[in-house]
Amino acid sequence: MNKTKNKAWFALFTMPLFLIFTIVVIIPFIIGIAYSFVNWDGISANPKVFVGFENYVQLFQDERFYASAWHTIKFTVLALIFVNLFGLCFSLLVTSGLRGSNLARTLFFMPNLIGGLILGYIWKFIFTDAFKLIGEKTGMDGIFFNWMLNPQFSLYALVIVFTWQMAGYTMIIYIAGMQGIPDEMMEAAKVDGANLWHRLTKITFPLLMPAFTICFFMTLSGAFKIFDVNLSLTNGGPVNSTELFAMNIFNEIFGYGHYGLGQAKGIVFFLIVAIVTLTQVIITKKKEVQM
């Protein structure tokens, strides 16, 4: 009787979530796979012509797709390094007991509360008009110029904005990880003569591996999928030099009306993100240590 009752409660709480997940994730994903095998311009009055794997063959011959893949890889690597480096430094700073650390914690986290579109437009003004004005006033026009006109600096601008948005979020995760490290362990290390570097590398970082796993995963998946900041800050320019994966798919579908080819790119994009993030989680999980 109790087992039947427990199963009923289990079904009552899980079935609604399962149905919602099926409707908003599973079914659209299956429909997307089906669209990747047809040639269609997105107009409902026009027929969907089955073309088999032709869209997949075509995408691997698309130089612009390869270019966006290379831009995404460069952006993701830089974002992974800087987001976690700044997030870790911020967490060490605000847990050091310095005066005003609570205010600093709030300020570091605040950019994450602002939407990516708004952040992009704010920073677009800084990288264009503000930088140009600073360069003219100070004479440092080698650094302060309109970054949005330079392909290399436009990508760096994307990395800066993404880092500014995500570093505060990863800081919170690193702080939670540090609070789980016993004070007695750090005190014992100090008594044994371990300096700050040894305490960080031999105690703090190994015990923070679960936090590293989560932060690396969130940074990797977020950087691969970024679209809003890319749209508002650079819109893929100049000359498509900052068109990342998600924007390339968006342009293929809604810009050129190639629904089938865009869906095929979306499926390949999903597989790449899944393989990279799962590999990262497996590698970092193996390095986690238990107290």
Side-chain angles (χ1 to χ4, degrees), residues 12-45:
L12 178 66
F13 284 104
T14 56
M15 285 309 291
L17 295 175
F18 179 74
L19 285 174
I20 293 171
F21 183 77
T22 303
I23 292 169
V24 303
V25 177
I26 302 295
I27 293 176
F29 183 72
I30 294 172
I31 294 173
I33 294 174
Y35 276 145
S36 69
F37 295 105
V38 301
N39 185 13
W40 186 42
D41 58 6
I43 299 173
S44 56

Side-chain angles (χ1 to χ4, degrees), residues 260-271:
L261 179 58
Q263 285 293 346
K265 288 183 177 182
I267 299 300
V268 172
F269 175 55
F270 166 77
L271 292 174

